[in-house]
Amino acid sequence: MNPAPPPSPGAPGEPHRPGASPAPGGEAYLWDGTGAPDPTVQRLEEALEPARWRAGQTDVRRAPSTITRPLARAFRPKPMRILATAAGLALGCAGLWIALRPPTSTTIVSSDSPSWQVTALAGAPKVNSDIVRDAAPVRPGQWLTTDATSRASLAVADIGHVTVEPDSRMRLIATGTREHRLELARGTISAFIAAPPRIFLVQTPAALAVDLGCIYTLTVAPDGSGRLAVQTGLVELQRKAGSTSPADISRVPAGAVCLIDPSRGPGTPHDPDAPAALTSALAQFDRLDTGAQTSTYASRAALDVVLAAARPADAVTLWHLLARVNQTARARVVDALQASAPAPADAPRSEVLRLDAPAVESWWRSILAAR
Amino acid sequence: MLRLTPRHADGAPAAPSPEPDPAALVNAARGGDRASFARLYHLFAPLVHGVLLARVRPHEADDLMQDVFLRAWRNLASLRNPSAVGAWLAVMARRAAATHRRTRWARAMISLFYDRSAAREPVDPRPAPATLTADEVLAAIRSLPVPYREALTLRLVEQMTGPQIAARLGMTHGSVRVKLCKGMALLRAHLQPEITP
């Protein structure tokens, strides 16, 4: 008996690990056209070749053939056609009635409710207690859970996707034209969203992440603490949902991170490459921050370290401190921020010191533009 | 034999020609540079076409292409992250397809008031060929679970590689690889009698 062949490097469907052996020939051809051609894939490519987009084929809109004849000649109502149309209208009205009737109080999740599609990337993620073998819908109210060996990809309606990492638990709360909201109880998700701002929202135990058009990774620990890292775009973390107070909002731009405390909520965003002295002092400042701009000896000492260690790349951190310190300390923050990222002409010092919103926002836009 | 990778005469892979920076094209197009938008169109037309084909019939996809890019031209200013223009266009394509499918019944009702011979597509009197047709394969792809359709149409129809699909849609390689492999497995099972050599 011939010995069994050695296992192929990387089972089909598993993520390709950098530095690993190339995928088996057939899968490699499907993946990037290299390796030995897969006969079935080739046959399908040849069959589908006529459907491929080609430059020039869609440059001129084709008029629908149904409106090429004069209306007087084209309109030939016949008895069977009239009956078919009437039946269609009746069915349409019935469908409209069914769609618009008020939901019953016992209907929380129905098979007709909108859903997102979840795909298993590895292992056996679950929707509630059901294992996702390949793909399955997730509806509002349902939990998606991954264990230590499973990962999943979640299509966020038609605006993007979320990758759910191992040991994560999240729930779809709502999905609609104006808002898509999920709850991340624990674990890590990476979101890629291409939509107008404030449509995709993620609730954590201590913060609400509001997508402003971006790619980010959000991690929540079992105790409710968390970390947000933004790759592109901007995410707004709200300490209190709906609050517009600058002290309650942490804006995390691309390249920045923000820690979330389980009891106090989002901290102050910072550069992940900031000096250790700055990040540890900032963490202490955030721990002591009550949101009321009070100043204790410990918080003043922490602020001193932050201001001394701040670099030009820490302008985002310094800008957030403007609203988190009292007026006495704010002058020192303005001085440090001015050295890192000079204020624009429409953000005079006097107005920034009293937290005049247009001046403060103008300085924020200037800081973002310089990143 | 179809090949995804351009090769020299000796079979060695040819160096791919550099792609223009999509973000730079978006920024230029926002300033009214139509030539840059034209380049964006040619760069992302296969992506948009593939996304549409995953949801509607080929002739419908061709019609909807214009709608998608016209809407993109008008709304370029609203794109907050120019480097994500591919994913943004994919979103618009999905919505265009969804709207088109929702109104399909209305168009069908309207077509009943016209001479059926004008509404009916011409029938080829020749006997059906034994080989698979593009329509048959696309119908099979559209019958698969939603997560797999786009990856398959972009790879098999538009000849985009896995890395290109991931880059255009902002997905990880692992996610695209899973969707291609599992989708292909389901497609094989669906078309087994037809594609068995």
Side-chain angles (χ1 to χ4, degrees):
Chain A
M1 189 173 81
N2 292 329
S8 301
E14 285 189 358
H16 178 66
R17 302 179 302 281
S21 303
E27 185 186 323
Y29 183 77
L30 177 64
W31 173 243
D32 60 8
T34 59
D38 182 317
T40 302
V41 175
Q42 276 193 310
R43 186 149 178 242
L44 292 174
E45 287 176 316
E46 289 162 7
L48 290 166
E49 197 268 347
R52 188 173 314 147
W53 177 82
R54 289 172 179 77
Q57 75 181 44
T58 54
D59 292 344
V60 177
R61 178 185 288 275
R62 297 183 311 178
S65 58
T66 53
I67 59 172
T68 56
R69 298 169 59 109
L71 184 60
R73 278 192 295 150
F75 187 87
R76 293 198 177 95
K78 296 184 177 175
M80 286 306 298
R81 203 168 293 144
I82 292 174
L83 282 175
T85 305
L89 285 172
L91 283 173
C93 291
L96 193 63
W97 176 79
I98 291 171
L100 294 180
R101 67 182 178 180
T104 64
S105 59
T106 57
T107 303
I108 299 174
V109 175
S110 74
S111 60
D112 296 329
S113 58
S115 62
W116 295 355
Q117 287 289 319
V118 60
T119 309
L121 297 181
K126 291 183 180 179
V127 174
N128 286 354
S129 58
D130 299 324
I131 294 176
V132 178
R133 304 288 176 191
D134 295 311
V138 179
R139 296 188 172 87
Q142 294 185 317
W143 287 95
L144 170 62
T145 308
T146 57
D147 59 21
T149 61
S150 56
R151 295 172 73 234
S153 175
L154 192 59
V156 179
D158 56 2
I159 64 170
H161 52 267
V162 166
T163 301
V164 185
E165 300 297 342
D167 289 325
S168 299
R169 180 170 165 81
M170 53 144 285
R171 178 168 64 125
L172 175 57
I173 295 177
T175 181
T177 53
R178 295 186 179 181
E179 181 178 289
H180 303 283
R181 182 185 293 248
L182 62 87
E183 175 188 352
L184 179 62
R186 68 165 191 271
T188 300
I189 63 170
S190 298
F192 185 102
I193 303 297
R198 303 183 188 281
I199 285 184
F200 180 66
L201 311 169
V202 179
Q203 281 179 210
T204 78
L208 175 68
V210 181
D211 171 84
L212 301 178
C214 56
I215 306 170
Y216 67 84
T217 300
L218 177 63
T219 301
V220 176
D223 66 354
S225 63
R227 182 179 188 273
L228 171 73
V230 179
Q231 284 82 52
T232 68
L234 182 68
V235 176
E236 187 177 277
L237 284 175
Q238 296 178 359
R239 183 175 298 181
K240 301 171 188 170
S243 170
T244 57
S245 168
D248 290 334
I249 295 175
S250 295
R251 300 179 187 176
V252 191
V257 301
C258 187
L259 301 180
I260 303 171
D261 183 270
S263 57
R264 290 185 307 280
T268 306
H270 62 273
D271 180 6
D273 297 326
L278 185 150
T279 55
S280 61
L282 189 66
Q284 185 180 14
F285 177 87
D286 285 340
R287 278 195 299 274
L288 298 168
D289 179 21
T290 62
Q293 300 178 357
T294 55
S295 175
T296 62
Y297 175 79
S299 65
R300 287 196 300 272
L303 181 64
D304 287 344
V305 175
V306 172
L307 296 181
R311 312 156 300 161
D314 300 310
V316 168
T317 299
L318 296 174
W319 181 88
H320 280 84
L321 291 176
L322 290 173
R324 299 177 186 204
V325 298
N326 60 25
Q327 195 147 10
T328 304
R330 193 169 300 135
R332 297 169 53 221
V333 176
V334 170
D335 291 339
L337 183 55
Q338 180 70 21
S340 296
D346 56 353
R349 181 186 177 88
S350 58
E351 293 181 13
V352 173
L353 284 174
R354 61 172 184 263
L355 292 182
D356 181 77
V360 173
E361 286 298 321
S362 175
W363 207 344
W364 171 254
R365 288 192 296 271
S366 172
I367 291 169
L368 279 191
R371 288 177 67 86
Chain B
M1 176 186 296
L2 294 178
R3 284 276 187 185
L4 285 184
T5 309
R7 294 177 183 273
H8 294 298
D10 61 359
S17 54
E19 259 189 12
D21 176 22
L25 291 177
V26 168
N27 290 327
R30 277 174 170 169
D33 183 352
R34 289 176 180 267
S36 290
F37 188 80
R39 294 180 72 189
L40 267 178
Y41 174 86
H42 282 90
L43 191 60
F44 289 100
L47 173 74
V48 171
H49 193 247
V51 169
L52 289 170
L53 274 184
R55 291 163 171 79
V56 299
R57 300 187 194 99
H59 69 279
E60 295 172 319
D62 291 344
D63 284 341
L64 290 173
M65 283 277 286
Q66 279 219 355
D67 292 341
V68 171
F69 279 98
L70 184 59
R71 188 177 298 273
W73 170 251
R74 289 172 176 165
N75 292 283
L76 264 182
S78 68
L79 174 57
R80 299 178 71 84
N81 184 5
S83 60
V85 60
W88 183 69
L89 287 169
V91 169
M92 298 177 80
R94 293 176 194 129
R95 289 187 173 169
T99 301
H100 185 80
R101 288 205 314 272
R102 276 199 299 270
T103 57
R104 188 177 283 162
W105 73 269
R107 293 194 302 277
M109 288 294 111
I110 292 171
S111 73
L112 287 177
F113 286 92
Y114 290 84
D115 189 325
R116 293 176 72 88
S117 62
R120 190 179 302 128
E121 292 189 10
V123 176
D124 191 337
R126 294 172 295 177
T131 56
L132 276 174
T133 66
D135 283 347
E136 289 170 340
V137 179
L138 288 171
I141 291 175
R142 288 196 301 270
S143 72
L144 299 179
V146 171
Y148 306 120
R149 299 179 198 170
E150 276 184 13
L152 286 175
T153 54
L154 291 174
R155 170 61 185 85
L156 298 176
V157 182
E158 307 300 342
Q159 295 279 283
M160 293 173 65
T161 65
Q164 288 174 331
I165 296 169
R168 289 277 187 265
L169 294 179
M171 300 174 70
T172 63
H173 283 204
S175 181
V176 175
R177 186 184 290 267
V178 166
K179 291 177 182 179
L180 278 177
C181 291
K182 290 192 176 181
M184 192 62 212
L186 292 173
L187 188 59
R188 280 182 212 265
H190 189 100
L191 295 172
Q192 192 56 42
E194 286 85 0
I195 61 176
T196 302

